[in-house]
PDB file of all heavy atoms in Angstrom:
ATOM      1  N   ILE A  38     102.210 108.435  32.346  1.00 94.00           N
ATOM      2  CA  ILE A  38     101.344 108.119  33.490  1.00 94.00           C
ATOM      3  C   ILE A  38     100.905 106.619  33.411  1.00 94.00           C
ATOM      4  O   ILE A  38     100.790 105.933  34.414  1.00 94.00           O
ATOM      5  CB  ILE A  38     100.080 109.031  33.464  1.00 94.00           C
ATOM      6  CG1 ILE A  38     100.488 110.452  33.822  1.00 94.00           C
ATOM      7  CG2 ILE A  38      99.026 108.500  34.417  1.00 94.00           C
ATOM      8  CD1 ILE A  38      99.449 111.459  33.665  1.00 94.00           C
ATOM      9  N   ALA A  39     100.780 106.123  32.193  1.00 95.00           N
ATOM     10  CA  ALA A  39     100.350 104.712  31.977  1.00 95.00           C
ATOM     11  C   ALA A  39     101.521 103.775  32.197  1.00 95.00           C
ATOM     12  O   ALA A  39     101.335 102.524  32.036  1.00 95.00           O
ATOM     13  CB  ALA A  39      99.772 104.530  30.568  1.00 95.00           C
ATOM     14  N   GLY A  40     102.657 104.238  32.596  1.00 94.00           N
ATOM     15  CA  GLY A  40     103.853 103.358  32.854  1.00 94.00           C
ATOM     16  C   GLY A  40     104.574 103.037  31.545  1.00 94.00           C
ATOM     17  O   GLY A  40     105.315 102.047  31.540  1.00 94.00           O
ATOM     18  N   GLY A  41     104.371 103.837  30.487  1.00 94.00           N
ATOM     19  CA  GLY A  41     105.142 103.636  29.298  1.00 94.00           C
ATOM     20  C   GLY A  41     104.543 102.580  28.361  1.00 94.00           C
ATOM     21  O   GLY A  41     105.133 102.224  27.359  1.00 94.00           O
ATOM     22  N   GLN A  42     103.337 102.039  28.691  1.00 94.00           N
ATOM     23  CA  GLN A  42     102.772 100.992  27.832  1.00 94.00           C
ATOM     24  C   GLN A  42     101.276 101.093  27.927  1.00 94.00           C
ATOM     25  O   GLN A  42     100.678 101.681  28.903  1.00 94.00           O
ATOM     26  CB  GLN A  42     103.233  99.658  28.273  1.00 94.00           C
ATOM     27  CG  GLN A  42     102.988  99.387  29.702  1.00 94.00           C
ATOM     28  CD  GLN A  42     103.536  97.983  30.116  1.00 94.00           C
ATOM     29  OE1 GLN A  42     103.807  97.135  29.300  1.00 94.00           O
ATOM     30  NE2 GLN A  42     103.691  97.765  31.433  1.00 94.00           N
ATOM     31  N   ALA A  43     100.578 100.506  27.044  1.00 96.00           N
ATOM     32  CA  ALA A  43      99.121 100.428  27.052  1.00 96.00           C
ATOM     33  C   ALA A  43      98.635  99.116  26.314  1.00 96.00           C
ATOM     34  O   ALA A  43      99.329  98.733  25.358  1.00 96.00           O
ATOM     35  CB  ALA A  43      98.459 101.624  26.430  1.00 96.00           C
ATOM     36  N   SER A  44      97.683  98.459  26.832  1.00 96.00           N
ATOM     37  CA  SER A  44      97.134  97.280  26.175  1.00 96.00           C
ATOM     38  C   SER A  44      96.321  97.630  24.970  1.00 96.00           C
ATOM     39  O   SER A  44      96.110  96.879  24.040  1.00 96.00           O
ATOM     40  CB  SER A  44      96.453  96.377  27.120  1.00 96.00           C
ATOM     41  OG  SER A  44      95.349  97.079  27.761  1.00 96.00           O
ATOM     42  N   ALA A  45      95.629  98.841  25.030  1.00 97.00           N
ATOM     43  CA  ALA A  45      94.793  99.285  23.962  1.00 97.00           C
ATOM     44  C   ALA A  45      94.390 100.748  24.154  1.00 97.00           C
ATOM     45  O   ALA A  45      94.510 101.193  25.278  1.00 97.00           O
ATOM     46  CB  ALA A  45      93.554  98.381  23.864  1.00 97.00           C
ATOM     47  N   VAL A  46      93.986 101.350  23.109  1.00 98.00           N
ATOM     48  CA  VAL A  46      93.316 102.691  23.175  1.00 98.00           C
ATOM     49  C   VAL A  46      91.843 102.472  22.921  1.00 98.00           C
ATOM     50  O   VAL A  46      91.526 101.855  21.867  1.00 98.00           O
ATOM     51  CB  VAL A  46      93.949 103.674  22.170  1.00 98.00           C
ATOM     52  CG1 VAL A  46      93.184 104.941  22.105  1.00 98.00           C
ATOM     53  CG2 VAL A  46      95.418 103.958  22.536  1.00 98.00           C
ATOM     54  N   TRP A  47      90.957 102.989  23.726  1.00 98.00           N
ATOM     55  CA  TRP A  47      89.508 102.849  23.518  1.00 98.00           C
ATOM     56  C   TRP A  47      88.956 104.265  23.359  1.00 98.00           C
ATOM     57  O   TRP A  47      89.400 105.202  23.960  1.00 98.00           O
ATOM     58  CB  TRP A  47      88.835 102.189  24.739  1.00 98.00           C
ATOM     59  CG  TRP A  47      89.056 100.714  24.878  1.00 98.00           C
ATOM     60  CD1 TRP A  47      90.009  99.948  24.340  1.00 98.00           C
ATOM     61  CD2 TRP A  47      88.261  99.806  25.640  1.00 98.00           C
ATOM     62  NE1 TRP A  47      89.914  98.650  24.748  1.00 98.00           N
ATOM     63  CE2 TRP A  47      88.824  98.527  25.522  1.00 98.00           C
ATOM     64  CE3 TRP A  47      87.074  99.946  26.402  1.00 98.00           C
ATOM     65  CZ2 TRP A  47      88.245  97.379  26.155  1.00 98.00           C
ATOM     66  CZ3 TRP A  47      86.549  98.882  27.025  1.00 98.00           C
ATOM     67  CH2 TRP A  47      87.096  97.599  26.881  1.00 98.00           C
ATOM     68  N   LEU A  48      87.893 104.340  22.458  1.00 98.00           N
ATOM     69  CA  LEU A  48      87.267 105.621  22.176  1.00 98.00           C
ATOM     70  C   LEU A  48      85.795 105.566  22.660  1.00 98.00           C
ATOM     71  O   LEU A  48      85.049 104.594  22.305  1.00 98.00           O
ATOM     72  CB  LEU A  48      87.320 105.934  20.733  1.00 98.00           C
ATOM     73  CG  LEU A  48      88.721 106.248  20.151  1.00 98.00           C
ATOM     74  CD1 LEU A  48      88.607 106.543  18.622  1.00 98.00           C
ATOM     75  CD2 LEU A  48      89.396 107.421  20.849  1.00 98.00           C
ATOM     76  N   THR A  49      85.320 106.622  23.266  1.00 98.00           N
ATOM     77  CA  THR A  49      83.904 106.672  23.611  1.00 98.00           C
ATOM     78  C   THR A  49      83.072 107.101  22.342  1.00 98.00           C
ATOM     79  O   THR A  49      81.900 106.736  22.315  1.00 98.00           O
ATOM     80  CB  THR A  49      83.651 107.716  24.721  1.00 98.00           C
ATOM     81  OG1 THR A  49      84.075 108.983  24.295  1.00 98.00           O
ATOM     82  CG2 THR A  49      84.399 107.323  26.005  1.00 98.00           C
ATOM     83  N   HIS A  50      83.648 107.883  21.473  1.00 98.00           N
ATOM     84  CA  HIS A  50      82.948 108.240  20.256  1.00 98.00           C
ATOM     85  C   HIS A  50      83.912 108.966  19.292  1.00 98.00           C
ATOM     86  O   HIS A  50      85.041 109.259  19.634  1.00 98.00           O
ATOM     87  CB  HIS A  50      81.722 109.151  20.535  1.00 98.00           C
ATOM     88  CG  HIS A  50      81.970 110.461  21.133  1.00 98.00           C
ATOM     89  ND1 HIS A  50      82.519 110.616  22.426  1.00 98.00           N
ATOM     90  CD2 HIS A  50      81.783 111.745  20.709  1.00 98.00           C
ATOM     91  CE1 HIS A  50      82.627 111.895  22.755  1.00 98.00           C
ATOM     92  NE2 HIS A  50      82.195 112.591  21.670  1.00 98.00           N
ATOM     93  N   ARG A  51      83.450 109.291  18.120  1.00 98.00           N
ATOM     94  CA  ARG A  51      84.256 109.694  17.021  1.00 98.00           C
ATOM     95  C   ARG A  51      84.692 111.184  17.067  1.00 98.00           C
ATOM     96  O   ARG A  51      85.551 111.552  16.248  1.00 98.00           O
ATOM     97  CB  ARG A  51      83.554 109.461  15.688  1.00 98.00           C
ATOM     98  CG  ARG A  51      82.285 110.201  15.505  1.00 98.00           C
ATOM     99  CD  ARG A  51      81.697 110.010  14.089  1.00 98.00           C
ATOM    100  NE  ARG A  51      81.218 108.646  13.871  1.00 98.00           N
ATOM    101  CZ  ARG A  51      80.023 108.240  14.085  1.00 98.00           C
ATOM    102  NH1 ARG A  51      79.082 109.092  14.585  1.00 98.00           N
ATOM    103  NH2 ARG A  51      79.649 106.993  13.876  1.00 98.00           N
TER     104      ARG A  51
END
Side-chain angles (χ1 to χ4, degrees):
I38 290 170
Q42 57 183 340
S44 58
V46 173
W47 287 21
L48 295 179
T49 61
H50 63 295
R51 63 173 68 91

